[in-house]
Amino acid sequence: MKYVVKLRNVRKSFGKTQALRSVSFDVYEGEIFGLIGPNGAGKTTTLRIISTLVRHDEGYVNVLGYELPKYKDYVRGKIAYLPEDARLYGRLTGWENLLYFAMIYSKDKEEAIRMAKLGAEISGLSPTDLHRKTSEYSKGMARRVAVARALMTKAPLVILDEPTTGLDVFSSYNIRKIIKKYAKELKVTIILSSHNILEIQYLCDRIALIDKGKILAVGTPEEILEQAKASNLEEAFIKLVGDSYE
């Protein structure tokens, strides 16, 4: 199976704080891979390292066949990264936001328009809503456009940091449907982080459980349930967190 991301014994500290402690896992081509853990577990630091925004202190990181940070400039052109705090340009409409980001990724105007049209389709918003300023959007509508702008690039690797944080139940459900549907249709590999265990279980082919910068388990949801002898992922996580401090 071809891997898209490979991490081996990755460590990262910020001052005296150890954010990551020997993190290792692989992400394979075409899968949705979930990184799950509580706030402060190291999820965002891990994603920022993979997306070339942060340098690791120790260990080995390979993305799309290229070692980081040596080939970071090449890798940046091949990934799409949506941070948790991503914002839209409020003075622009939803369509204008999509077109603006499409122009960054595209070679010419025609390609940018095609990409933006795909983004509009992915968002699921009506033409009327897409031509409203995003400053008027609900959080759910804004997040749908933000996720769409990442997926519309058809980047080989799409990284989504907490894509449903702060959203209500219905908005979160719509975002999950978008991710699951278009990951398959566009044939992209997705890494996403979340502290919502049910969300990860629904979306992901494989997952890594992380706590205090340490990977507790990696595998399919079924494999992790078996490993922890648990009936659900929440129970599995609690059991494995307990094991990590014995």
Side-chain angles (χ1 to χ4, degrees):
M1 202 177 300
K2 183 179 179 181
Y3 71 85
V4 173
V5 173
K6 181 183 288 289
L7 273 65
R8 291 293 181 271
N9 303 317
V10 175
R11 296 177 180 270
K12 179 64 184 178
S13 295
F14 297 98
K16 295 182 179 180
T17 302
Q18 284 187 293
L20 300 181
R21 311 170 187 226
S22 194
V23 167
S24 300
F25 61 79
D26 296 333
V27 179
Y28 300 117
E29 189 175 50
E31 72 177 350
I32 301 178
F33 185 90
L35 192 60
I36 187 167
N39 292 333
K43 302 187 300 296
T44 294
T45 299
T46 302
L47 296 188
R48 287 179 176 171
I49 289 172
I50 294 169
S51 61
T52 78
L53 298 177
V54 171
R55 290 192 177 201
H56 53 292
D57 298 329
E58 299 178 34
Y60 176 79
V61 179
N62 188 298
V63 177
L64 298 169
Y66 293 86
E67 186 177 352
L68 295 181
K70 183 177 182 180
Y71 295 103
K72 67 180 186 301
D73 292 336
Y74 177 82
V75 170
R76 283 176 182 169
K78 296 293 183 180
I79 64 175
Y81 173 58
L82 184 69
E84 179 182 356
D85 57 356
R87 297 287 187 271
L88 302 177
Y89 292 106
R91 293 183 179 181
L92 301 181
T93 66
W95 168 254
E96 289 168 341
N97 269 274
L98 291 170
L99 185 58
Y100 174 79
F101 283 97
M103 290 174 68
I104 295 174
Y105 280 89
S106 303
K107 299 176 183 177
D108 54 54
K109 186 175 180 180
E110 288 186 3
E111 184 181 8
I113 291 173
R114 287 196 297 271
M115 186 181 292
K117 286 182 177 178
L118 175 60
E121 176 189 329
I122 293 171
S123 76
L125 297 181
S126 69
T128 299
D129 284 332
L130 284 168
H131 287 88
R132 290 168 53 199
K133 289 185 178 181
T134 58
S135 59
E136 302 172 1
Y137 280 11
S138 67
K139 287 184 180 180
M141 291 171 65
R143 202 62 178 172
R144 284 164 74 168
V145 172
V147 170
R149 84 183 186 207
L151 291 172
M152 73 183 184
T153 65
K154 299 183 183 179
L157 176 61
V158 177
I159 301 168
L160 306 174
D161 191 1
E162 300 279 3
T164 63
T165 292
L167 301 184
D168 60 39
V169 173
F170 294 105
S171 297
S172 297
Y173 176 73
N174 285 327
I175 292 295
R176 288 195 292 270
K177 282 204 308 181
I178 287 172
I179 293 170
K180 199 168 185 73
K181 171 180 170 66
Y182 286 98
K184 183 176 182 179
E185 289 189 10
L186 300 177
K187 298 179 180 179
V188 298
T189 302
I190 293 179
I191 304 176
L192 63 89
S193 69
S194 180
H195 57 264
N196 185 326
I197 294 179
L198 293 178
E199 176 172 277
I200 289 288
Q201 189 165 3
Y202 168 78
L203 277 174
C204 298
D205 302 300
R206 291 191 310 122
I207 59 180
L209 303 183
I210 185 170
D211 184 55
K212 295 186 177 180
K214 298 174 68 175
I215 297 294
L216 307 180
V218 181
T220 66
E222 294 76 18
E223 288 170 343
I224 290 177
L225 292 179
E226 175 63 26
Q227 177 182 338
K229 305 301 180 186
S231 59
N232 58 66
L233 282 180
E234 186 175 56
E235 181 185 351
F237 184 80
I238 291 170
K239 285 186 173 183
L240 291 168
V241 167
D243 290 346
S244 72
Y245 294 107
E246 291 182 355

